Amino acid sequence: MLAPIDVFKIQYQQSRHKQQQFLTLRLHTFPVNMMAYIPPHMRRSKDMRRASPIPETLQPQFQRNINLRASTSHKKKSAKIVYADHAVSKWFAVGLDDDDQFPTYIHLEPISLEYVERKSEEKPLVLVNSIVTEEDCKLERNCSKSPWEIIAENVHQELLSSFEILRKEMDDQGSEKVKPILVARLGKFLFHGKPSMRLQSVNKIQVEEAILRQLNRSLYANIPSSYMENIIDGVVPAIGVDFLEKKDVYTVKLSDNTRPDATVLCKCNVLENKKLRLYKVELNQVRHMVIDVSCLDKNLDLRLMLCSRKILTALTDDEMNSLRDLISSAVVDPDMKGGLKWPKKGKASSGGRYRVIGVWHTITKAYRSSSFRLKARDADRYDFRTGTAETTREVYLKLKGIVSEIQEPGAESDSISKMLEDSLRLIWDKFLCCERFLT
């Protein structure tokens, strides 16, 4: 009897940067005999998304400031965050000392976030630089390579190979439009414990990269109001981007019993009569590459993410009518979490097929240049399944110029590398300086 097993394909590479090494990890699935012996490090975890990608005994052979994990198939039914079958992920820190260790002025601090503690019953940890302030975070240490060059070298090849896989998937989608997105998100990484590694056992003074690699990680993107004001009033004029538009959007998230592995997103705006108008239907984004960078000399961290989003353009009349009926029954209510409510019993579902599982109300200011879109967003979110609400203030960049360049026939690797490095330099210089927050 045959059953699928996930097999990791590892490529070991040497970077041009001194002492920078990293591996590439991709997940492939092959049929194997169910009775065959499977080594312990290759056995399926109950939670593949959080499983360690390589056996602990092999980890010291590789660059210590890189952490990779296996992807999670986007076919995983209950996943809130969806990964493609061949997704790749990295984590590394920029700002280590000459021995590739965390400097003594870097330590871990527990922080209080009610919604996080409610889930894990532990306060998450953040990396804190005890000497960096908003004023001196622009000072750089003497290094043979700039931080943005180091990041670009670690990202470049992963971006090209991940995009090539995504391109093939896009070609196979037929009439459905798949949109690739390369986004730079800004925030602070939270480190979470798990059953095998509780946070109370972690040394918070002497930070060990090997320990951080065993913890779960998320990006806290809710930035201070002073940071957003500085971006809009200071950075935007300084870098010469143009105001594009301000959008007030309600996103209704639906489960679809014919698509159990996906979430349907209905994008709506508000008409003069306070009713919602549905203008776009798409599926939730799928992550193809996630590269997390802890920026030790800054008060913000960086996440680079290659995603795809499928826009549903071939819905039947019955499907569209069901969606419109569900949307039209919503009532805009600024006092409700997420900004919407369905007052009539049973109206938060449609025909047994669609059911509301969440709502987002976002007000976004968008700015554009020839190479990127800058978004400053206020978001009010509510999850119907868990009953949890979240209000956030976010700044992120869509690196549209790089995506366009990669899609050009005959695009040269050196040209893409240069664009990536230029974008990362701009982000490093202008978008990672912030007053200390969370701690």
Side-chain angles (χ1 to χ4, degrees):
M1 182 176 177
L2 296 179
I5 185 171
D6 296 325
V7 177
F8 297 105
K9 181 179 179 182
I10 297 176
Q11 296 174 311
Y12 180 63
Q13 302 178 26
Q14 178 76 37
S15 169
R16 295 191 302 257
H17 179 58
K18 183 179 71 171
Q19 295 182 328
Q20 287 285 327
Q21 305 174 36
F22 57 93
L23 59 89
T24 299
L25 183 75
R26 294 193 183 277
L27 185 65
H28 297 263
T29 303
F30 300 95
V32 297
N33 191 296
M34 288 183 66
M35 300 304 293
Y37 173 72
I38 303 172
H41 70 276
M42 297 298 292
R43 294 173 185 166
R44 278 182 177 270
S45 164
K46 291 181 180 179
D47 186 356
M48 274 299 296
R49 184 168 62 89
R50 302 178 185 270
S52 175
I54 54 179
E56 196 65 34
T57 54
L58 293 182
Q59 289 183 0
Q61 299 179 30
F62 303 102
Q63 166 63 16
R64 297 206 328 271
N65 63 338
I66 300 295
N67 178 29
L68 303 178
R69 61 177 166 84
S71 66
T72 298
S73 168
H74 65 271
K75 296 177 182 178
K76 184 172 180 180
K77 189 172 182 178
S78 61
K80 187 174 181 181
I81 299 175
V82 185
Y83 288 84
D85 291 327
H86 299 278
V88 63
S89 184
K90 280 187 183 182
W91 170 80
F92 61 95
V94 172
L96 300 178
D97 63 22
D98 292 339
D99 296 320
D100 285 334
Q101 303 290 331
F102 281 85
T104 56
Y105 51 81
I106 300 295
H107 61 279
L108 288 163
E109 284 190 18
I111 61 165
S112 294
L113 289 172
E114 183 181 351
Y115 78 96
V116 175
E117 294 177 58
R118 190 163 56 240
K119 292 179 182 178
S120 63
E121 299 181 350
E122 279 189 309
K123 292 182 179 181
L125 301 176
V126 294
L127 286 167
V128 175
N129 186 323
S130 59
I131 63 173
V132 165
T133 66
E134 186 178 7
E135 287 72 28
D136 62 21
C137 74
K138 297 178 183 179
L139 299 176
E140 308 296 344
R141 66 183 75 195
N142 293 324
C143 298
S144 59
K145 290 255 179 147
S146 65
W148 52 88
E149 288 176 308
I150 297 171
I151 298 170
E153 287 185 359
N154 280 326
V155 171
H156 179 226
Q157 193 54 49
E158 295 299 349
L159 176 60
L160 294 182
S161 56
S162 296
F163 202 96
E164 189 57 34
I165 294 172
L166 172 56
R167 191 199 309 272
K168 293 176 182 177
E169 294 180 5
M170 291 166 60
D171 292 340
D172 294 337
Q173 291 301 313
S175 61
E176 299 290 5
K177 180 181 178 182
V178 177
K179 182 180 180 180
I181 305 166
L182 179 61
V183 62
R185 293 185 61 84
L186 311 164
K188 197 70 178 173
F189 289 121
L190 308 181
F191 293 91
H192 309 270
K194 53 187 179 180
S196 61
M197 177 65 70
R198 306 305 295 179
L199 295 182
Q200 59 261 34
S201 65
V202 174
N203 186 332
K204 300 171 181 61
I205 303 301
Q206 185 175 347
V207 181
E208 297 182 46
E209 189 273 338
I211 298 298
L212 291 184
R213 198 189 297 138
Q214 298 177 53
L215 301 176
N216 296 322
R217 187 177 65 256
S218 64
L219 181 68
Y220 182 79
N222 188 13
I223 46 88
S225 58
S226 59
Y227 173 80
M228 181 176 283
E229 290 169 4
N230 178 61
I231 294 299
I232 294 175
D233 299 333
V235 173
V236 164
I239 63 178
V241 293
D242 299 320
F243 178 76
L244 179 61
E245 61 183 348
K246 182 177 180 179
K247 295 182 73 173
D248 189 339
V249 176
Y250 288 86
T251 302
V252 181
K253 301 176 68 175
L254 307 174
S255 64
D256 179 356
N257 62 15
T258 68
R259 291 186 176 93
D261 307 321
T263 300
V264 178
L265 306 179
C266 296
K267 303 276 188 168
C268 311
N269 49 30
V270 181
L271 301 175
E272 290 184 1
N273 61 3
K274 301 300 182 181
K275 289 291 186 180
L276 295 181
R277 182 185 72 88
L278 176 63
Y279 69 87
K280 185 192 295 184
V281 183
E282 57 190 23
L283 299 183
N284 54 316
Q285 70 178 19
V286 176
R287 296 182 177 184
H288 298 264
M289 180 198 80
V290 180
I291 297 185
D292 290 340
V293 186
S294 288
C295 305
L296 303 184
D297 294 328
K298 302 285 189 176
N299 283 330
L300 289 176
D301 298 321
L302 172 65
R303 168 171 284 175
L304 287 169
M305 209 160 48
L306 176 65
C307 307
S308 64
R309 180 162 281 169
K310 183 185 291 186
I311 301 173
L312 301 181
T313 58
L315 294 170
T316 65
D317 290 342
D318 286 344
E319 289 173 323
M320 284 303 300
N321 288 334
S322 293
L323 293 175
R324 288 194 180 102
D325 287 345
L326 195 154
I327 297 301
S328 65
S329 64
V331 174
V332 176
D333 186 344
D335 295 326
M336 293 295 295
K337 297 172 181 177
L340 295 177
K341 64 180 180 182
W342 278 261
K344 294 183 180 179
K345 186 176 180 180
K347 286 298 184 179
S349 61
S350 178
R353 174 174 174 178
Y354 299 110
R355 182 171 61 88
V356 178
I357 59 174
V359 290
W360 289 15
H361 179 209
T362 56
I363 299 175
T364 306
K365 291 181 179 179
Y367 304 83
R368 66 179 172 188
S369 74
S370 59
S371 58
F372 65 88
R373 296 289 187 272
L374 169 62
K375 303 290 184 79
R377 178 170 72 182
D378 288 290
D380 179 14
R381 302 181 177 93
Y382 183 68
D383 190 322
F384 280 56
R385 296 163 298 185
T386 62
T388 56
E390 184 183 20
T391 302
T392 62
R393 189 182 301 106
E394 304 162 359
V395 171
Y396 60 98
L397 296 93
K398 289 186 175 181
L399 306 179
K400 299 173 73 71
I402 296 175
V403 172
S404 297
E405 182 70 16
I406 295 176
Q407 294 185 92
E408 284 292 323
E412 301 209 355
S413 176
D414 288 348
S415 173
I416 296 168
S417 177
K418 181 64 166 57
M419 292 182 70
L420 181 62
E421 188 176 309
D422 289 344
S423 296
L424 288 167
R425 179 172 187 171
L426 176 69
I427 292 169
W428 187 272
D429 286 342
K430 302 297 185 181
F431 290 92
L432 294 179
C433 289
C434 178
E435 67 179 85
R436 181 174 294 175
F437 67 110
L438 292 180
T439 58

